[in-house]
Amino acid sequence: MNKIILIGNLTRDPESGTTPSGVSYCRFSIAVNRRFSKENNEADYFNVITWRGIAESCAKSLSKGRKVGVVGSIQIRNYEGNDGVKRTSVEVTADEVEFLSSPSGSREEAPQSRSSRSDVTKLEEVEPSDDNLPF
């Protein structure tokens, strides 16, 4: 099973666009505060990608600092950079995004955006190999 649930704040404005085949996407990153940290400012950072209708909602409604709830799965991609070095990218492919704060920071109920798993398309399918397994 590959499922992750996160609540955090956007660290920057989202980036959106369409694939060559015309599928909308939206990328953003969130900071998630650690539950038990010695200092209250410790956080983990996650890159998130959304697709199709949910991507359009996120691109239109989200901005730096907004609080969101994200439900999705972890996707790990291996690729070779322009410099020839092999790299690994880890991101959350979101099935659902819930807007938990309003754009102005007021206490009004924020709109919600959801998507089903069938609405998710990947940019690039990556076949796992035995070399990448941790066990």
Side-chain angles (χ1 to χ4, degrees), residues 19-90:
T19 64
S21 61
V23 178
S24 300
Y25 67 88
C26 182
R27 292 180 187 273
F28 55 91
S29 65
I30 60 174
V32 178
N33 290 330
R34 290 187 179 172
R35 187 170 179 187
F36 299 106
S37 66
K38 293 180 181 180
E39 305 207 12
N40 291 336
N41 59 357
E42 289 186 66
D44 293 300
Y45 299 87
F46 296 88
N47 294 317
V48 179
I49 186 163
T50 59
W51 296 97
R52 302 180 192 252
I54 192 171
E56 293 168 8
S57 295
C58 288
K60 183 175 75 170
S61 301
L62 293 179
S63 59
K64 181 179 178 179
R66 293 277 311 266
K67 183 178 285 283
V68 294
V70 173
V71 177
S73 58
I74 298 279
Q75 180 179 348
I76 300 173
R77 294 184 296 126
N78 296 307
Y79 64 97
E80 189 171 309
N82 293 337
D83 57 1
V85 176
K86 290 186 179 186
R87 302 182 193 281
T88 301
S89 170
V90 178

